Amino acid sequence: MCKTADLTAIQKAIIDTLKREGKTQKEISERIGCSQSAVSRHLRGKSVGRKKCGNKRFTTRRGDRTLRKIVEKDRFQTLGGLRKQWTESGVETSRATVHRRVLLNQKQRQKRLTWATEKQHWTVAQWSKVLFSDESKFCMSFGNQGARVWRKTGEKEMPKCLKSSVKYPQSVMVWGAMSAAGVGPLCFIKGRVNAASYQEILEHFMLPSAEKRYGDEDVVFQHDLAPAHSAKTTGKWFTDHGITVLNWPANSPDLNPIENLWDIVKRKLRDARPNTLDELKAAIEASWASITPQQCHRLIASMPRRIEAGISAKGFPTKY
């Protein structure tokens, strides 16, 4: 049977009509197929304006469509990057809201919760054996809002008041890895990443990093569920090399500590302001190299807290 908040306008009109005809609440509830308490609440005026549970929705459907268009333009953006562009479009919101609107459906939330529950008893020592990896995109311009123009009303389209700009600035895609012992070498990716090119990255960058950090010890490798990562040939590559891959829930950048390192590097690049791709790459490498093992260890030590936050949020995005 439906509840008070589920009554349609037609059902409410029928209730009012039957009441005027002298019908009892029980007779009315049986007639329209709802609970007697729903009928009673409506007649007492409590079904109108009834307070709903949960937080108020802060974005509109139109705003949500804008976010989806931003994501479709570049699916390799960080959560912070998506939030920045969405804010620039006029929607002021949190990182968690961005995550909820675009990335997580009910099935994914359940998988995140299941994963966090399975890992809730892992110690920092266990997480220290994990080599975390990720790709990130770096653009030439950082927060450039353009030059201010002084003009009178009606001069908006005058040639003297217009200045050309780069709509899609030059950028580079970077692969990196980190563990509790520090960061590994960066790989600047040319073109799109497929299974074959990803395996080359693993061969020439991941393996040397794992050997340097762990030696003969067992290492657990983490990566997300990008198509090149989850390809059958990539899985065979890991099997052939005897490397254990950590199962990872989809759309979970908040659980990956390397995301925090990308944010550190990008904050430093805002001050560097490179003018060419070579300068951009050099600035990225310098910022990456400045990350200390202590910073990495603190991030790895946060994993138990991230797991607890994921459980408390019931699979929804966390503050991390």
Side-chain angles (χ1 to χ4, degrees), residues 74 76-78 134-142 169-176 186-189 258-259 261-270 274 276-277 280-281 283-285 287-288 291:
D74 180 8
F76 291 92
Q77 298 180 76
T78 63
D134 191 31
E135 295 90 5
S136 186
K137 183 178 182 180
F138 292 82
C139 294
M140 188 73 71
S141 59
F142 296 90
Q170 289 182 297
S171 61
V172 294
M173 184 68 70
V174 184
W175 177 92
L186 291 176
C187 174
F188 290 94
I189 303 171
I258 198 173
E259 292 286 349
L261 296 187
W262 293 137
D263 287 341
I264 291 173
V265 173
K266 290 179 179 180
R267 285 198 298 270
K268 291 183 178 180
L269 289 181
R270 292 192 183 99
T276 66
L277 279 181
L280 177 61
K281 291 179 181 179
I284 293 171
E285 288 182 322
S287 299
W288 186 255
I291 296 173

Side-chain angles (χ1 to χ4, degrees), residues 6-204:
D6 299 326
L7 289 175
T8 66
I10 294 176
Q11 286 177 316
K12 293 175 182 178
I14 294 174
I15 291 174
D16 293 336
T17 301
L18 294 178
K19 182 62 177 177
R20 287 194 295 269
E21 293 177 356
K23 303 294 184 183
T24 65
Q25 292 183 5
K26 183 178 181 181
E27 291 173 332
I28 296 173
S29 65
E30 293 174 349
R31 177 80 172 269
I32 67 173
C34 71
S35 66
Q36 187 174 337
S37 61
V39 174
S40 176
R41 284 179 178 275
H42 170 69
L43 294 174
R44 286 186 283 122
K46 293 187 177 181
S47 63
V48 180
R50 186 181 176 189
K51 186 176 180 180
K52 296 182 179 180
C53 299
N55 294 328
K56 178 183 176 182
R57 183 183 177 92
F58 289 100
T59 62
T60 63
R61 300 298 179 187
R62 182 177 182 180
D64 293 349
R65 288 195 297 272
T66 300
L67 178 59
R68 286 196 292 272
K69 291 178 181 178
I70 293 172
V71 173
E72 289 169 358
K73 286 182 179 179
D74 180 8
R75 297 183 183 276
F76 291 92
Q77 298 180 76
T78 63
L79 193 60
L82 290 175
R83 181 194 177 196
K84 180 176 181 294
Q85 290 191 57
W86 205 20
T87 300
E88 290 173 349
S89 73
V91 182
E92 186 67 36
T93 187
S94 66
R95 288 165 60 97
T97 299
V98 176
H99 208 163
R100 284 196 300 270
R101 292 291 182 269
V102 179
L103 302 176
L104 292 179
N105 55 40
Q106 185 176 356
K107 184 177 180 181
Q108 291 167 339
R109 292 196 300 270
Q110 184 56 51
K111 287 186 176 181
R112 278 168 54 93
L113 179 58
T114 300
W115 182 87
T117 303
E118 292 172 351
K119 301 294 187 293
Q120 65 178 326
H121 298 302
W122 274 37
T123 64
V124 174
Q126 287 175 292
W127 286 114
S128 296
K129 294 181 179 180
V130 178
L131 184 65
F132 290 89
S133 71
D134 191 31
E135 295 90 5
S136 186
K137 183 178 182 180
F138 292 82
C139 294
M140 188 73 71
S141 59
F142 296 90
N144 184 9
Q145 301 299 320
R148 180 184 293 275
V149 57
W150 298 94
R151 60 176 175 80
K152 298 178 181 178
T153 303
E155 296 181 341
K156 181 178 179 180
E157 305 300 331
M158 288 181 61
K160 291 183 178 180
C161 296
L162 301 177
K163 186 177 181 180
S164 62
S165 62
V166 180
K167 188 174 182 180
Y168 301 104
Q170 289 182 297
S171 61
V172 294
M173 184 68 70
V174 184
W175 177 92
M178 60 88 72
S179 68
V183 298
L186 291 176
C187 174
F188 290 94
I189 303 171
K190 295 181 179 179
R192 299 186 64 178
V193 179
N194 55 29
S197 60
Y198 182 60
Q199 290 160 36
E200 289 184 4
I201 294 173
L202 297 174
E203 188 78 38
H204 300 292

